[in-house]
Amino acid sequence: MQAKDERYPDYPLFKGLQRPLELMGLQGRYIYWAAGAAGGAIVGFIIAYCLAGFVSGLVVLVAVLSTGIALIMLKQRKGLHTKKELRGVYVYAYSKKL
């Protein structure tokens, strides 16, 4: 009878463990996309600066950054787990084999 009356200690539970990683409004995999876009822009700037000059380097930097940001914002708007949307009507003849 003592076992039923014994109360186990309560511990606080952190409820945010199932939420995706978020940094400055970017969620999950898009953080890595932003880091890749920034890294690609810097590398592109260095290469264009060495080959053609400062102004062309800035053009490449702005072009790569703006393309990366636009792509991230468009993809993130669809959701973190974007999947291919199949259009049409699908009819399943049966769901299980008997």
Side-chain angles (χ1 to χ4, degrees):
M1 288 292 170
Q2 281 184 344
K4 288 185 178 180
D5 294 335
E6 183 179 332
R7 180 166 168 83
Y8 292 103
D10 292 332
Y11 297 103
L13 183 66
F14 180 61
K15 301 281 186 178
L17 292 175
Q18 297 299 321
R19 299 184 64 204
L21 179 65
E22 186 172 340
L23 175 71
M24 294 175 20
L26 298 174
Q27 293 180 349
R29 65 181 173 188
Y30 301 114
I31 295 172
Y32 299 113
W33 286 24
I42 291 171
V43 169
F45 171 77
I46 292 171
I47 292 171
Y49 179 72
C50 291
L51 295 177
F54 183 73
V55 174
S56 63
L58 283 179
V59 169
V60 169
L61 179 80
V62 169
V64 172
L65 273 181
S66 61
T67 304
I69 290 171
L71 182 65
I72 289 169
M73 290 302 134
L74 289 175
K75 289 285 195 174
Q76 189 172 354
R77 202 172 277 163
K78 285 187 173 182
L80 189 58
H81 305 286
T82 55
K83 296 181 181 175
K84 195 185 299 184
E85 294 178 13
L86 300 175
R87 297 179 188 261
V89 177
Y90 298 96
V91 178
Y92 294 102
Y94 53 88
S95 62
K96 295 181 184 178
K97 284 190 173 184
L98 297 176

